[in-house]
Amino acid sequence: MLSLQEISDRMEIEDLMVRYSHAVDTHQWEMLDEIFTPDAHIDYTAMGGPAGDVESTKKFLAAVMPNFSAFQHMISNSAIRVEGDHATARTMCHNPMMVGAADGERRLMLCGLWYHDTFVRVNGEWRIQQRVEEKSYMFVAPDALPGS
């Protein structure tokens, strides 16, 4: 049976991952400073992005996200392992995105991936120390729905 501390740790880590999704989906890049450790390493290369620190990740997201008119990071199925003040997780992410095409039409892009995260407890609060994406699938629909 899980202890109250283990339950609390898992819920705090899940909340941290949800806050990441909300920060990205609402373009609140400054929130990433409260989600990642200052020395965090973020690797988006599996899905075509860069790898780097928090500042370079915020700059990348601020530059690329305006290219998408709609998006949602949906996370689930987290397998979290907590050992004291350190934890790891593998979490599923489904991210539909609406992207403009060269012909002026919008296309629906479906991205499926896994987040491989390493967490540390800093001053009593969980932070992501490393996030590495693993690609599951990427699909761009040939045509967007009319009026979407």
Side-chain angles (χ1 to χ4, degrees):
M1 181 178 352
L2 294 174
S3 70
L4 288 178
Q5 183 62 55
E6 290 168 324
I7 293 168
S8 177
D9 288 339
R10 287 171 180 267
M11 291 183 76
E12 290 172 30
I13 289 168
E14 287 177 2
D15 180 64
L16 182 65
M17 291 186 287
V18 168
R19 284 191 287 135
Y20 167 84
S21 296
H22 287 296
V24 173
D25 287 347
T26 60
H27 297 185
Q28 295 183 59
W29 316 127
E30 70 281 356
M31 285 180 61
L32 298 179
D33 295 327
E34 301 167 10
I35 293 166
F36 290 98
T37 61
D39 65 342
H41 178 73
I42 301 119
D43 184 345
Y44 294 152
T45 57
M47 299 300 286
D53 60 13
V54 178
E55 286 306 312
S56 64
T57 298
K58 291 189 312 187
K59 288 177 185 172
F60 166 73
L61 291 170
V64 74
M65 290 305 290
N67 295 313
F68 302 99
S69 60
F71 37 82
Q72 289 181 315
H73 285 77
M74 296 176 280
I75 58 171
S76 67
N77 298 13
S78 295
I80 300 170
R81 188 175 299 226
V82 179
E83 295 179 12
D85 290 337
H86 294 84
T88 58
R90 183 174 188 258
T91 303
M92 180 187 298
C93 177
H94 174 69
N95 185 13
M97 306 176 84
M98 191 64 71
V99 62
D103 60 8
E105 294 294 319
R106 296 186 303 164
R107 304 281 192 265
L108 177 61
M109 180 169 66
L110 301 174
C111 300
L113 59 129
W114 293 95
Y115 289 128
H116 293 271
D117 294 322
T118 302
F119 305 91
V120 294
R121 193 183 335 247
V122 178
N123 298 323
E125 296 184 6
W126 287 102
R127 297 284 186 260
I128 302 172
Q129 187 174 48
Q130 179 174 282
R131 169 160 277 188
V132 177
E133 293 180 340
E134 174 190 349
K135 184 177 181 178
S136 179
Y137 61 86
M138 186 180 293
F139 173 76
V140 179
D143 295 305
L145 298 174
S148 61

